[in-house]
Amino acid sequence: MTKLILIRTAQTDWQTQGRLAGDTDLKLNEQGSLQALADAKAVTQFDPQAVYCGVEEATHQTATIVADELGLKAKAVDAFREINLGHWEGLTQEDFCERFAKVHRQWRADPLSVEPPEGESISTDAGRLKTGLEKVCKRRNCERIVLVLGRFAFAVGRCRFDDGDYEHFWEYIDGDDHLHTFDLEEASGK
């Protein structure tokens, strides 16, 4: 059985500004670097054997800090990239809610029902994440794996592989929880 240790990408300036940040390349801010180091220290207790991450800059920076602390190398995989928010990328939550009130309400009520213009749906992100995780688990069966994901991908991962539904999706996006562990019952997830 594979133990999956999910870590949410550490803080960027866009996050502190309340901006929607999908797969945009952003650097960690000072607080983000400290968060990543704290996460690295927290996961040492699990004695992970591999660190994987998405390809966007902040996610890769977070994974590199974690991997360095563990004496491992972070491997960026396109399948683990953050969701593409298309035209919504960079909008503040306030702007998004004001400019697209109806879509915002629908997205909050049912995150699977909305696809950002020129972006991708949460279902698409979940499918890509599942495929990537299946490949990693097949290669690294019965190991403890750290997977660093952007905020949306982190929420998708928790919902898809641990909860089995998307009821708590926004809690995972908006909450302070940025580290979560669970056992995958099989290589393809639950």
Side-chain angles (χ1 to χ4, degrees):
M1 187 176 311
T2 300
K3 176 171 280 304
L4 191 60
I5 305 148
L6 283 183
I7 297 177
R8 186 170 72 183
T9 298
Q11 189 179 90
T12 67
D13 286 339
W14 273 23
Q15 185 179 349
T16 61
Q17 296 165 5
R19 294 187 182 281
L20 292 172
D23 63 353
T24 296
D25 279 326
L26 302 166
K27 293 182 181 202
L28 295 179
N29 62 22
E30 188 175 331
Q31 181 62 34
S33 295
L34 294 173
Q35 281 177 347
L37 189 55
D39 289 340
K41 291 181 185 308
V43 300
T44 59
Q45 67 180 310
F46 300 108
D47 191 27
Q49 298 157 307
V51 177
Y52 288 87
C53 65
V55 295
E56 57 280 348
E57 187 171 359
T59 302
H60 193 257
Q61 282 182 299
T62 302
T64 299
I65 292 169
V66 170
D68 286 350
E69 184 71 19
L70 298 168
L72 299 170
K73 185 171 174 82
K75 180 169 170 84
V77 176
D78 186 63
F80 300 140
R81 76 180 182 277
E82 179 63 294
I83 191 169
N84 177 352
L85 294 175
H87 292 302
W88 300 346
E89 196 81 33
L91 291 175
T92 64
Q93 291 286 349
E94 185 178 282
D95 286 343
F96 180 68
C97 185
E98 186 178 299
R99 290 173 58 187
F100 307 105
K102 182 177 178 183
V103 173
H104 181 267
R105 282 192 305 275
Q106 181 180 348
W107 200 31
R108 293 298 289 204
D110 182 8
L112 297 175
S113 69
V114 175
E115 183 172 329
E118 301 295 321
E120 65 184 336
S121 68
I122 289 170
S123 297
T124 300
D125 186 55
R128 183 178 63 246
L129 186 60
K130 180 181 183 287
T131 300
L133 197 52
E134 285 173 344
K135 289 178 183 177
V136 166
C137 287
K138 188 178 263 188
R139 270 184 270 150
R140 306 194 71 94
N141 197 22
C142 298
E143 292 193 40
R144 294 167 305 281
I145 298 169
V146 172
L147 180 56
V148 181
L149 299 171
R151 289 177 65 207
F152 285 93
F154 175 86
V156 167
R158 285 195 64 180
C159 291
R160 170 66 178 88
F161 299 111
D162 198 25
D163 297 351
D165 61 48
Y166 287 82
E167 181 179 342
H168 301 288
F169 181 77
W170 292 107
E171 292 171 39
Y172 300 148
I173 295 284
D174 299 332
D176 292 331
D177 183 20
H178 49 93
L179 186 126
H180 185 72
T181 65
F182 55 93
D183 294 325
L184 289 176
E185 293 178 7
E186 56 188 56
S188 64
K190 288 186 178 179

